Amino acid sequence: MIVKSELKSGYALTLIAPRGGLNGWQWIFVIEGAITIFVAGIAYITFPEFPNNNRFLSPEQTKMVLARVEKDRGDSLPDKMTLAKLRLHLCDWKIWIFGLMLFCAVIPNYVTGYFAPIILSSMGYKVRDSLLLSSPPGVLA
């Protein structure tokens, strides 16, 4: 569903090429960027920072949530960031391994998503056809 709507909107935005002095691919960035900024503004206003800074729980409920977080992970109240803490976390080999694993898992998806239409276009397909041919891997992912 997401791939289908992305394909339709991406292709439709490439068709409004000469308007406003921008190419179609530039309109994709402008429109989708504006949507992202709008949604981020709503999220910033509505999402609470942490249970100790909320507007929707009573003081008793806030106490209960903080006690549960403290029991679970031991950091219910945020503490100050220091250089020693930063160094401790940067030297943790598990963080670097997880980052490498994420990198290795995500790169093939980005290669397929971003470069498949370019590769297909260089093989002689029209823009519309290259976008349509590059969508099946996204449906199966």
Side-chain angles (χ1 to χ4, degrees), residues 111-125 130-131 134:
V111 168
T112 304
Y114 286 118
F115 294 113
I118 296 169
I119 294 168
L120 290 169
S121 294
S122 69
M123 295 172 67
Y125 290 99
S130 67
L131 288 170
S134 65

Side-chain angles (χ1 to χ4, degrees), residues 45-96:
I45 293 168
T46 59
F47 288 0
E49 289 181 38
F50 202 70
N52 63 341
N53 295 336
N54 67 70
R55 297 182 299 264
F56 55 91
L57 295 176
S58 69
E60 297 85 29
Q61 291 171 329
T62 301
K63 245 186 195 175
M64 182 184 68
V65 169
L66 290 174
R68 286 183 179 180
V69 171
E70 187 65 37
K71 181 181 175 188
D72 181 45
R73 33 182 240 205
D75 63 348
S76 63
L77 295 175
D79 51 349
K80 191 172 182 178
M81 182 60 139
T82 63
L83 190 58
K85 285 183 192 174
L86 179 65
R87 192 176 308 121
L88 173 75
H89 295 299
L90 286 177
C91 292
D92 188 1
W93 64 272
K94 294 182 291 287
I95 291 176
W96 292 100

